[in-house]
mmCIF file of all heavy atoms in Angstrom:
data_model
loop_
_atom_site.group_PDB
_atom_site.id
_atom_site.type_symbol
_atom_site.label_atom_id
_atom_site.label_comp_id
_atom_site.label_asym_id
_atom_site.label_seq_id
_atom_site.Cartn_x
_atom_site.Cartn_y
_atom_site.Cartn_z
ATOM 1 N N ARG A 124 10.240 -3.283 1.953
ATOM 2 C CA ARG A 124 9.424 -3.017 0.767
ATOM 3 C C ARG A 124 8.383 -4.104 0.534
ATOM 4 O O ARG A 124 7.230 -3.824 0.225
ATOM 5 C CB ARG A 124 10.342 -2.877 -0.455
ATOM 6 C CG ARG A 124 9.628 -2.532 -1.737
ATOM 7 C CD ARG A 124 10.610 -2.294 -2.875
ATOM 8 N NE ARG A 124 11.480 -3.422 -3.127
ATOM 9 C CZ ARG A 124 11.198 -4.422 -3.961
ATOM 10 N NH1 ARG A 124 10.086 -4.432 -4.627
ATOM 11 N NH2 ARG A 124 12.053 -5.403 -4.128
ATOM 12 N N THR A 125 8.780 -5.370 0.676
ATOM 13 C CA THR A 125 7.841 -6.466 0.431
ATOM 14 C C THR A 125 6.690 -6.425 1.420
ATOM 15 O O THR A 125 5.530 -6.608 1.041
ATOM 16 C CB THR A 125 8.556 -7.824 0.484
ATOM 17 O OG1 THR A 125 9.558 -7.853 -0.537
ATOM 18 C CG2 THR A 125 7.591 -8.973 0.257
ATOM 19 N N ALA A 126 6.974 -6.166 2.683
ATOM 20 C CA ALA A 126 5.906 -6.068 3.691
ATOM 21 C C ALA A 126 4.940 -4.953 3.323
ATOM 22 O O ALA A 126 3.717 -5.135 3.382
ATOM 23 C CB ALA A 126 6.494 -5.820 5.070
ATOM 24 N N CYS A 127 5.479 -3.823 2.929
ATOM 25 C CA CYS A 127 4.643 -2.681 2.562
ATOM 26 C C CYS A 127 3.728 -3.037 1.389
ATOM 27 O O CYS A 127 2.516 -2.807 1.429
ATOM 28 C CB CYS A 127 5.527 -1.486 2.236
ATOM 29 S SG CYS A 127 4.628 0.055 1.969
ATOM 30 N N GLN A 128 4.297 -3.637 0.356
ATOM 31 C CA GLN A 128 3.508 -4.016 -0.820
ATOM 32 C C GLN A 128 2.464 -5.072 -0.471
ATOM 33 O O GLN A 128 1.319 -4.997 -0.917
ATOM 34 C CB GLN A 128 4.424 -4.545 -1.922
ATOM 35 C CG GLN A 128 5.298 -3.485 -2.540
ATOM 36 C CD GLN A 128 6.317 -4.075 -3.512
ATOM 37 O OE1 GLN A 128 6.603 -5.272 -3.489
ATOM 38 N NE2 GLN A 128 6.873 -3.228 -4.358
ATOM 39 N N ALA A 129 2.847 -6.060 0.321
ATOM 40 C CA ALA A 129 1.922 -7.132 0.689
ATOM 41 C C ALA A 129 0.776 -6.593 1.547
ATOM 42 O O ALA A 129 -0.380 -7.003 1.383
ATOM 43 C CB ALA A 129 2.666 -8.252 1.417
ATOM 44 N N LEU A 130 1.084 -5.679 2.446
ATOM 45 C CA LEU A 130 0.040 -5.077 3.276
ATOM 46 C C LEU A 130 -0.952 -4.291 2.423
ATOM 47 O O LEU A 130 -2.169 -4.353 2.648
ATOM 48 C CB LEU A 130 0.657 -4.182 4.351
ATOM 49 C CG LEU A 130 1.318 -4.909 5.516
ATOM 50 C CD1 LEU A 130 2.257 -3.998 6.279
ATOM 51 C CD2 LEU A 130 0.256 -5.499 6.446
ATOM 52 N N VAL A 131 -0.439 -3.555 1.443
ATOM 53 C CA VAL A 131 -1.338 -2.795 0.556
ATOM 54 C C VAL A 131 -2.216 -3.758 -0.241
ATOM 55 O O VAL A 131 -3.426 -3.570 -0.340
ATOM 56 C CB VAL A 131 -0.542 -1.855 -0.379
ATOM 57 C CG1 VAL A 131 -1.430 -1.289 -1.478
ATOM 58 C CG2 VAL A 131 0.093 -0.728 0.421
ATOM 59 N N GLN A 132 -1.600 -4.801 -0.811
ATOM 60 C CA GLN A 132 -2.382 -5.777 -1.587
ATOM 61 C C GLN A 132 -3.440 -6.454 -0.730
ATOM 62 O O GLN A 132 -4.597 -6.594 -1.139
ATOM 63 C CB GLN A 132 -1.458 -6.863 -2.177
ATOM 64 C CG GLN A 132 -0.648 -6.405 -3.355
ATOM 65 C CD GLN A 132 0.062 -7.593 -3.981
ATOM 66 O OE1 GLN A 132 -0.580 -8.449 -4.576
ATOM 67 N NE2 GLN A 132 1.385 -7.644 -3.840
ATOM 68 N N ARG A 133 -3.055 -6.865 0.473
ATOM 69 C CA ARG A 133 -4.022 -7.527 1.350
ATOM 70 C C ARG A 133 -5.119 -6.550 1.772
ATOM 71 O O ARG A 133 -6.294 -6.914 1.844
ATOM 72 C CB ARG A 133 -3.318 -8.130 2.571
ATOM 73 C CG ARG A 133 -4.237 -9.035 3.387
ATOM 74 C CD ARG A 133 -3.509 -9.752 4.477
ATOM 75 N NE ARG A 133 -3.147 -8.829 5.556
ATOM 76 C CZ ARG A 133 -2.511 -9.194 6.664
ATOM 77 N NH1 ARG A 133 -2.138 -10.460 6.836
ATOM 78 N NH2 ARG A 133 -2.217 -8.320 7.597
ATOM 79 N N GLY A 134 -4.750 -5.307 2.020
ATOM 80 C CA GLY A 134 -5.742 -4.294 2.360
ATOM 81 C C GLY A 134 -6.759 -4.104 1.248
ATOM 82 O O GLY A 134 -7.961 -3.986 1.493
ATOM 83 N N LEU A 135 -6.277 -4.095 0.006
ATOM 84 C CA LEU A 135 -7.192 -3.947 -1.134
ATOM 85 C C LEU A 135 -8.124 -5.146 -1.250
ATOM 86 O O LEU A 135 -9.328 -4.988 -1.495
ATOM 87 C CB LEU A 135 -6.398 -3.759 -2.427
ATOM 88 C CG LEU A 135 -5.700 -2.416 -2.572
ATOM 89 C CD1 LEU A 135 -4.743 -2.428 -3.751
ATOM 90 C CD2 LEU A 135 -6.715 -1.289 -2.705
ATOM 91 N N LEU A 136 -7.578 -6.346 -1.078
ATOM 92 C CA LEU A 136 -8.418 -7.547 -1.149
ATOM 93 C C LEU A 136 -9.445 -7.566 -0.020
ATOM 94 O O LEU A 136 -10.597 -7.940 -0.224
ATOM 95 C CB LEU A 136 -7.564 -8.812 -1.124
ATOM 96 C CG LEU A 136 -6.737 -9.074 -2.380
ATOM 97 C CD1 LEU A 136 -5.845 -10.298 -2.199
ATOM 98 C CD2 LEU A 136 -7.631 -9.243 -3.593
ATOM 99 N N ARG A 137 -9.031 -7.154 1.158
ATOM 100 C CA ARG A 137 -9.967 -7.090 2.279
ATOM 101 C C ARG A 137 -11.045 -6.030 2.040
ATOM 102 O O ARG A 137 -12.196 -6.230 2.386
ATOM 103 C CB ARG A 137 -9.223 -6.802 3.580
ATOM 104 C CG ARG A 137 -8.459 -7.995 4.108
ATOM 105 C CD ARG A 137 -7.713 -7.662 5.374
ATOM 106 N NE ARG A 137 -7.242 -8.880 6.021
ATOM 107 C CZ ARG A 137 -6.470 -8.879 7.095
ATOM 108 N NH1 ARG A 137 -6.084 -7.737 7.646
ATOM 109 N NH2 ARG A 137 -6.081 -10.007 7.631
ATOM 110 N N ARG A 138 -10.644 -4.932 1.454
ATOM 111 C CA ARG A 138 -11.627 -3.878 1.169
ATOM 112 C C ARG A 138 -12.650 -4.370 0.150
ATOM 113 O O ARG A 138 -13.840 -4.108 0.284
ATOM 114 C CB ARG A 138 -10.919 -2.625 0.655
ATOM 115 C CG ARG A 138 -11.872 -1.470 0.516
ATOM 116 C CD ARG A 138 -11.203 -0.150 0.660
ATOM 117 N NE ARG A 138 -12.225 0.878 0.654
ATOM 118 C CZ ARG A 138 -12.097 2.026 0.060
ATOM 119 N NH1 ARG A 138 -10.967 2.332 -0.541
ATOM 120 N NH2 ARG A 138 -13.071 2.909 0.091
ATOM 121 N N LEU A 139 -12.194 -5.086 -0.863
ATOM 122 C CA LEU A 139 -13.117 -5.651 -1.854
ATOM 123 C C LEU A 139 -14.071 -6.655 -1.215
ATOM 124 O O LEU A 139 -15.205 -6.817 -1.671
ATOM 125 C CB LEU A 139 -12.336 -6.327 -2.984
ATOM 126 C CG LEU A 139 -11.639 -5.387 -3.965
ATOM 127 C CD1 LEU A 139 -10.749 -6.175 -4.912
ATOM 128 C CD2 LEU A 139 -12.657 -4.561 -4.737
ATOM 129 N N ALA A 140 -13.627 -7.324 -0.158
ATOM 130 C CA ALA A 140 -14.467 -8.295 0.551
ATOM 131 C C ALA A 140 -15.294 -7.627 1.648
ATOM 132 O O ALA A 140 -15.900 -8.318 2.467
ATOM 133 C CB ALA A 140 -13.588 -9.396 1.141
ATOM 134 N N CYS A 141 -15.301 -6.294 1.667
ATOM 135 C CA CYS A 141 -16.052 -5.510 2.673
ATOM 136 C C CYS A 141 -15.579 -5.783 4.098
ATOM 137 O O CYS A 141 -16.361 -5.711 5.040
ATOM 138 C CB CYS A 141 -17.554 -5.742 2.537
ATOM 139 S SG CYS A 141 -18.198 -5.201 0.945
ATOM 140 N N GLN A 142 -14.307 -6.101 4.256
ATOM 141 C CA GLN A 142 -13.695 -6.289 5.574
ATOM 142 C C GLN A 142 -12.925 -5.016 5.917
ATOM 143 O O GLN A 142 -11.700 -4.989 5.965
ATOM 144 C CB GLN A 142 -12.770 -7.503 5.570
ATOM 145 C CG GLN A 142 -13.459 -8.798 5.256
ATOM 146 C CD GLN A 142 -12.481 -9.944 5.033
ATOM 147 O OE1 GLN A 142 -11.255 -9.759 5.004
ATOM 148 N NE2 GLN A 142 -13.010 -11.136 4.850
ATOM 149 N N ASP A 143 -13.681 -3.935 6.139
ATOM 150 C CA ASP A 143 -13.074 -2.614 6.278
ATOM 151 C C ASP A 143 -12.135 -2.490 7.473
ATOM 152 O O ASP A 143 -11.119 -1.803 7.383
ATOM 153 C CB ASP A 143 -14.154 -1.538 6.331
ATOM 154 C CG ASP A 143 -14.816 -1.317 4.980
ATOM 155 O OD1 ASP A 143 -14.303 -1.834 3.966
ATOM 156 O OD2 ASP A 143 -15.855 -0.621 4.942
ATOM 157 N N ASP A 144 -12.437 -3.139 8.596
ATOM 158 C CA ASP A 144 -11.549 -3.040 9.756
ATOM 159 C C ASP A 144 -10.186 -3.662 9.465
ATOM 160 O O ASP A 144 -9.151 -3.077 9.778
ATOM 161 C CB ASP A 144 -12.186 -3.697 10.986
ATOM 162 C CG ASP A 144 -13.375 -2.911 11.511
ATOM 163 O OD1 ASP A 144 -13.490 -1.705 11.204
ATOM 164 O OD2 ASP A 144 -14.202 -3.510 12.231
ATOM 165 N N GLY A 145 -10.193 -4.842 8.854
ATOM 166 C CA GLY A 145 -8.929 -5.488 8.485
ATOM 167 C C GLY A 145 -8.182 -4.693 7.427
ATOM 168 O O GLY A 145 -6.955 -4.558 7.492
#
Side-chain angles (χ1 to χ4, degrees):
R124 183 175 57 89
T125 299
C127 187
Q128 291 173 342
L130 285 162
V131 168
Q132 285 188 70
R133 190 173 72 179
L135 289 169
L136 290 176
R137 285 179 167 175
R138 187 153 186 219
L139 287 172
C141 298
Q142 299 170 354
D143 288 349
D144 290 340

